[in-house]
Amino acid sequence: MSMKYDLRDIEGIGPATLEKLKSAGITTVEALAVTPPRLLMELADITEDKALKLTQRARELLGISFTTAREVLEKRNKIGYITSGCKALDSLLGKGFETQAITELIGEYGSGKTQICHQLCVTVQLPLEKGGLGAKALFIDTEGTFRPERIAQIAESFDLDPTEVLNNIIYARAYNSDHQMLLADEAARLVPENNIKLLVVDSVITHFRSEYPGREVLAVRQQKLNQHIHQLLRIADIYDVAVVVTNQIQSTPDVFFGNPNKPAGGNVLAHGSTYRIWLRKAKESRRIARIIDSPMHPEGEALFVITPAGIKDAE
Ligand code: ATP
Ligand code: MG
């Protein structure tokens, strides 16, 4: 994406406002243009009138209004694909994990969600001809299960220098949902400055579930989760980034027919995610991946194994 314009080009943005926007994670005209004015008001602590004017001017500057289908196609043609290192899993998704999209990995404990996230942090660094994007990764860890040792192990299996691979992964631990959302704001600043093409949030839902338990607070929880998912969608869309999030399984004991298990996060995640992959455990290190809720993908499953060398096709 061309970064022709600077926030300072916008009338009404002086040094003080610039600082406020920066601390809210808005560092580009593009980011300003797509931030809802009401959210901008809160984030940057400015008046509604000012927020409306600034987003309006950012949009005018970029010429954002309607676009032609051809331009949409041109943008879609820029979509990048990150290999998972497993052919079956890549072809389940078409060509791999896509930029400009949120891919959600759903599954019970031990199903391989975190392992796939680790692997993608390595494979995004591969050159284009090897299925990567020659770019860096950013990892937001909410459960404390990120393991650099595991990254090094996987890097070696791809003939990459482990130290270099570790240097190209920017990491943050999120301690609660508010912190997680602040980190996502910060990510919006880091992504364009650091050639980051993969943003992982593992898991996207844990803090929200534990901080807002019970039906009385469900609406608030879903509203905050929705805000968070939109932060991630904007990053994916504006900066051409593959966002990969993990999600848990929730059991609904009141279901009498069919599967009593379903992904947590309800409609917010179901609508926010571009692709949803449900992982199941099979024998030993074998795992089965299935795409759910996708009108664009044929029904199908991919088999893979979790090995010391990472995720691989099952023999
Ligand atoms: P949770 O919901 O608890 O976060 P998860 O879906 O993230 O679960 P993972 O941590 O990705 O699960 O997967 C754990 C599985 O990966 C275990 O079966 C473990 O044996 C396997 N695994 C982890 N590290 C290695 C390794 N170095 N070599 C082989 N298998 C490994
Ligand atoms: Mg995990």
Side-chain angles (χ1 to χ4, degrees), residues 107-116 143 145 150 153 202 246 248 279 281 284-285 287 306-310:
E108 58 171 322
Y109 72 94
S111 57
K113 304 179 296 291
T114 299
Q115 292 300 311
I116 295 177
E143 298 180 331
T145 50
R150 185 64 176 134
Q153 201 179 16
D202 182 21
T246 67
Q248 299 152 342
L279 304 170
K281 292 194 232 178
E284 291 150 7
S285 60
R287 299 291 185 273
I306 309 175
T307 77

Side-chain angles (χ1 to χ4, degrees), residues 13 26 39-40 64 75 84 91 131 143 145 210 239 276 307:
I13 298 189
I26 298 161
L39 185 64
L40 184 65
I64 293 181
K75 182 168 178 227
S84 63
S91 44
E143 298 180 331
T145 50
S210 68
Y239 302 117
R276 316 190 87 189
T307 77

Side-chain angles (χ1 to χ4, degrees), residues 67-88:
T67 174
T68 63
R70 196 184 128 212
E71 282 169 314
V72 177
L73 183 64
E74 272 167 15
K75 182 168 178 227
R76 286 196 54 80
N77 283 341
K78 287 193 192 131
I79 289 177
Y81 301 89
I82 306 169
T83 181
S84 63
C86 165
K87 288 199 183 72

Side-chain angles (χ1 to χ4, degrees), residues 84-86 88-89 105-120 147 150-151 153-154 157-158 278-289 302-315:
S84 63
C86 165
L89 195 51
L105 301 170
I106 305 156
E108 58 171 322
Y109 72 94
S111 57
K113 304 179 296 291
T114 299
Q115 292 300 311
I116 295 177
C117 293
H118 279 67
Q119 178 123 339
L120 291 170
R147 294 289 174 275
R150 185 64 176 134
I151 295 284
Q153 201 179 16
I154 296 170
S157 88
F158 281 93
W278 194 318
L279 304 170
R280 303 201 305 280
K281 292 194 232 178
K283 268 193 183 155
E284 291 150 7
S285 60
R286 290 177 166 246
R287 299 291 185 273
I288 300 157
L303 194 63
F304 66 92
V305 284
I306 309 175
T307 77
I311 303 292
K312 302 285 161 204
D313 279 285
E315 296 285 295

Side-chain angles (χ1 to χ4, degrees), residues 40-96:
L40 184 65
M41 240 174 93
E42 268 178 50
L43 289 175
D45 188 27
I46 54 179
T47 64
E48 183 171 12
D49 192 45
K50 178 138 190 176
L52 274 170
K53 277 200 182 114
L54 293 185
T55 43
Q56 184 60 35
R57 283 176 192 148
R59 285 172 191 174
E60 279 165 12
L61 194 58
L62 295 174
I64 293 181
S65 52
F66 282 98
T67 174
T68 63
R70 196 184 128 212
E71 282 169 314
V72 177
L73 183 64
E74 272 167 15
K75 182 168 178 227
R76 286 196 54 80
N77 283 341
K78 287 193 192 131
I79 289 177
Y81 301 89
I82 306 169
T83 181
S84 63
C86 165
K87 288 199 183 72
L89 195 51
D90 287 354
S91 44
L92 190 69
L93 280 164
K95 300 187 202 165

Side-chain angles (χ1 to χ4, degrees), residues 165-208:
V165 167
L166 287 166
N167 268 330
N168 289 333
I169 302 170
I170 301 172
Y171 170 88
R173 175 82 204 268
Y175 291 99
N176 55 53
S177 65
D178 284 325
H179 188 209
Q180 185 175 335
M181 290 174 76
L182 279 175
L183 288 171
D185 273 339
E186 181 70 4
R189 187 178 68 76
L190 288 171
V191 159
E193 287 171 4
N194 292 280
N195 184 31
I196 290 163
K197 287 288 169 193
L198 171 70
L199 167 58
V200 172
V201 186
D202 182 21
S203 110
V204 78
I205 191 118
T206 307
H207 287 317
F208 292 90

